Amino acid sequence: MIVTINNLPRKSRRSSVGVALSGGGLRGTSHIGVLRALADHNIPVDYIAGTSAGSIVAAMYAYGYSPQKIQSIVEEIDIHSLIDLKVTTGDLFKHGFKWLVNGKFRFWSVLPTGLIKGEKIENFFTKLWQQRTVRDTKIPLAITAVDIKSADTVFFTSPLPQQRAILNARYYHNTLLSEAVRASISIPGIFFPKKYRGMTLVDGAVKNNLPTDILNHMGADRIIGVDLGYAGQPNYDANSVGEILMQCIEIMGREVTLMKSEQYADVIIRPQVYDINYKDFKQSGELIKRGYHATLEKIGEIKNLL
């Protein structure tokens, strides 16, 4: 007698695969190379999750764009046209003057909540995904953010197969892809937080830079993590407020990944990207290649899992 699972013979049922894409700023383009390598070797992606930069690629893939199409879109982006700076030099003088004349406030308290408003990039996302929500994607998707008020992790995700709870987390299924991704990329101090349903949402990397846990809750049998996070390399270039803030976020993200995310991952791919300037968008082609080749090194291990 053949034992069946979901009305299929056991021997014919393959393991479902989930892929988690971490944050990493402009280095996140290397995720495209990972997805392309998986496709070239017929590795299925049944679920996908992303944080920050990884949420952009994850949403594009879940929507239905092929890795090749995602690459062509990225290569055509004029990154400067998507930056709507909120703070000018004049603004800094104005905020500094407020601080000087009203001593009961600390200087930081009179500054705005970010440097970039984020409206232009959200409009760009809307052009990519129209009015599609996270529950309308072709493959199940999860995108992470953090509510700075409650400290809860917020998952914008396809409906879960059952009520599996992650500690201090909330789930939303009808959010527009453009809103979910805009929330996930809201790097503290850089982007204005995303206001959504009374929450103030910032970058998911604050708590969950490599979202393997949500893939496990969604039902993935095997989980591949793609970690572009900080791996402990010395950084002698953190000489400005922005660079120091980014380095602090990188360090915190690394600790969270080591403690939490790796326990759910069967395979972790770590493209070597830290020697590439994260400010240089022209390096996207090289980053994609590195993601591709890092995946090839793990293909045998991945196939053995399946």
Side-chain angles (χ1 to χ4, degrees), residues 26-76:
L26 294 180
R27 298 186 182 109
T29 53
S30 60
H31 289 313
I32 302 169
V34 172
L35 293 173
R36 189 164 189 170
L38 293 176
D40 286 350
H41 288 267
N42 300 312
I43 305 298
V45 178
D46 302 295
Y47 306 88
I48 193 164
T51 292
S52 199
S55 74
I56 302 174
V57 178
M60 293 177 78
Y61 189 80
Y63 177 84
Y65 290 118
S66 68
Q68 291 86 347
K69 179 60 177 177
I70 297 172
Q71 180 173 348
S72 68
I73 291 171
V74 167
E75 290 172 346
E76 294 172 1

Side-chain angles (χ1 to χ4, degrees), residues 38-191:
L38 293 176
D40 286 350
H41 288 267
N42 300 312
I43 305 298
V45 178
D46 302 295
Y47 306 88
I48 193 164
T51 292
S52 199
S55 74
I56 302 174
V57 178
M60 293 177 78
Y61 189 80
Y63 177 84
Y65 290 118
S66 68
Q68 291 86 347
K69 179 60 177 177
I70 297 172
Q71 180 173 348
S72 68
I73 291 171
V74 167
E75 290 172 346
E76 294 172 1
I77 290 175
D78 176 8
I79 195 69
H80 299 291
S81 70
L82 302 180
I83 304 301
D84 41 7
L85 285 176
K86 175 65 176 177
V87 179
T88 64
T89 303
D91 292 326
L92 291 177
F93 278 112
K94 178 180 69 177
H95 292 304
F97 181 73
K98 285 182 180 179
W99 172 61
L100 288 173
V101 299
N102 197 340
K104 68 180 180 179
F105 291 109
R106 292 170 297 175
F107 176 65
W108 294 109
S109 68
V110 298
L111 290 177
T113 55
L115 301 177
I116 299 172
K117 290 185 287 186
E119 294 174 2
K120 288 185 178 180
I121 198 165
E122 188 168 340
N123 289 337
F124 173 74
F125 292 154
T126 300
K127 291 178 182 178
L128 284 179
W129 302 311
Q130 305 300 316
Q131 297 299 305
R132 192 77 60 90
T133 70
V134 290
R135 72 184 305 151
D136 300 326
T137 52
K138 292 187 176 180
I139 64 173
L141 168 70
I143 291 170
T144 67
V146 174
D147 179 17
I148 204 69
K149 294 180 178 178
S150 67
D152 285 345
T153 302
V154 174
F155 291 110
F156 300 105
T157 177
S158 307
L160 302 181
Q162 54 185 305
Q163 286 300 108
R164 300 177 176 179
I166 295 175
L167 187 65
N168 298 323
R170 305 182 201 173
Y171 304 88
Y172 296 91
H173 309 305
N174 296 309
T175 308
L176 293 174
L177 284 171
S178 55
E179 290 186 302
V181 174
R182 167 64 180 86
S184 189
I185 67 169
S186 300
I187 302 170
I190 306 300
F191 280 92

Side-chain angles (χ1 to χ4, degrees), residues 10 20 71 99 142 149 156-157 226 264 282 289 293 302:
R10 183 185 295 277
Q71 180 173 348
W99 172 61
K149 294 180 178 178
F156 300 105
T157 177
V226 186
Y264 294 102
K282 294 179 181 179
K289 289 180 183 177
H293 291 298
I302 293 169

